[in-house]
């Protein structure tokens, strides 16, 4: 059986937050949006429907846990969830907190403009906040 | 309890396909992409995490059924799933079959360009194909 390895493009664009039961949690390095990504640790899966029933449900619960926490923590106006993966052939689920004052509002964040990296202190702070909120080890 | 009514913007942009256990199935009137939308028949819900456990699971199963069928029927290269809803305040889940030859590839379809309506015969044909594939009444 093929071993799961995080796709290098996701590794390059994100900071690891920690591991839920099924998924890696990543924070995208774009300071304009609180933007986390779930990556199920399953090799060779590109679509949600390719997961078995137990994994599908686990991903759903992890998505709801993450999304609800982020909406509260970052006082979002709307949560945007997306499974695109046209360029990265590994299943990953975006969770983006949107605000009416954000640069892409009300359009989609995908394809809008290049990421603006965090200052290091802010990135570490946000990772810690997510870790705490999701009950993950530091 | 508030009664569910399909949001008028969704009704205007789509053709109804039929009803699954939880969700209305709609086909977006854009001939460039096979693009279906699930709308859970629950009033005043804007985020997936606001659904109760049973509805969450039902939506997930309906999404997998729809997405897998569409990928096969339309020979897609990739399925794009999105819950955005920045403009339409009613939970709805996009399912878009992407092909490497489509106008927005590999970017997102959301925000790319205005829809190109179907010729009437083709729209009816595609609605019928979806109805059949999902086991819905005509």
């Amino acid at each position: 059986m093929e071993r799961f390895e995080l796709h290098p493009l996701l590794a390059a664009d994100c900071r690891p937050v920690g591991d839920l039961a099924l998924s890696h949690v990543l924070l995208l390095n774009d300071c304009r949006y609180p933007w986390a990504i779930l990556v199920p640790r399953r090799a060779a899966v590109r679509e949600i429907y390719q997961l078995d029933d137990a994994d599908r449900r686990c991903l759903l619960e992890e998505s709801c846990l993450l999304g609800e926490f982020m909406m509260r923590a970052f006082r979002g106006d709307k949560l945007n969830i997306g499974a695109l993966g046209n360029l990265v052939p590994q299943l990953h689920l975006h969770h983006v907190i949107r605000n009416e004052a954000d640069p892409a509002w009300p359009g989609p964040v995908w394809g809008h403009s290049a990421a603006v990296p965090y200052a290091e202190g802010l990135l570490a702070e946000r990772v810690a906040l997510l870790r705490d909120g999701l009950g993950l080890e530091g």
Side-chain angles (χ1 to χ4, degrees), chain A:
Chain A
M1 198 166 117
E2 198 181 332
R3 200 166 149 274
F4 171 86
E5 279 189 80
L6 184 63
H7 193 283
L9 286 175
L10 291 171
D13 292 344
C14 298
R15 185 65 60 95
V17 174
D19 281 349
L20 294 168
L22 175 66
S23 307
H24 278 318
V25 186
L26 306 172
L27 179 68
L28 185 72
N29 190 5
D30 186 339
C31 67
R32 301 171 304 166
Y33 316 95
W35 184 330
I37 300 176
L38 292 180
V39 189
R41 295 187 299 279
R42 296 290 180 260
V45 169
R46 207 166 168 190
E47 306 287 356
I48 295 170
Y49 64 73
Q50 293 168 343
L51 296 171
D52 68 24
D53 272 357
D55 282 354
R56 287 181 187 182
R57 288 179 181 195
C58 198
L59 177 60
L60 174 68
E61 290 313 306
E62 292 178 353
S63 170
C64 287
L65 175 76
L66 175 64
E68 188 165 10
F69 170 72
M70 290 175 75
M71 281 289 278
R72 200 171 57 237
F74 301 111
R75 294 180 294 281
D77 291 317
K78 186 69 189 73
L79 175 62
N80 287 182
I81 296 179
L84 287 82
N86 304 331
L87 292 169
V88 174
Q90 176 172 73
L91 177 59
H92 59 286
L93 197 55
H94 298 273
H95 295 73
V96 191
I97 299 299
R98 304 300 308 275
N99 271 288
E100 292 179 13
D102 77 38
W105 184 269
V109 290
W110 301 285
H112 179 265
S113 52
V116 177
Y118 285 92
E120 180 53 40
L122 289 177
L123 180 56
E125 197 178 297
R126 192 157 278 185
V127 166
L129 180 72
L130 281 169
R131 233 171 233 162
D132 267 11
L134 300 173
L136 297 170
E137 297 297 314

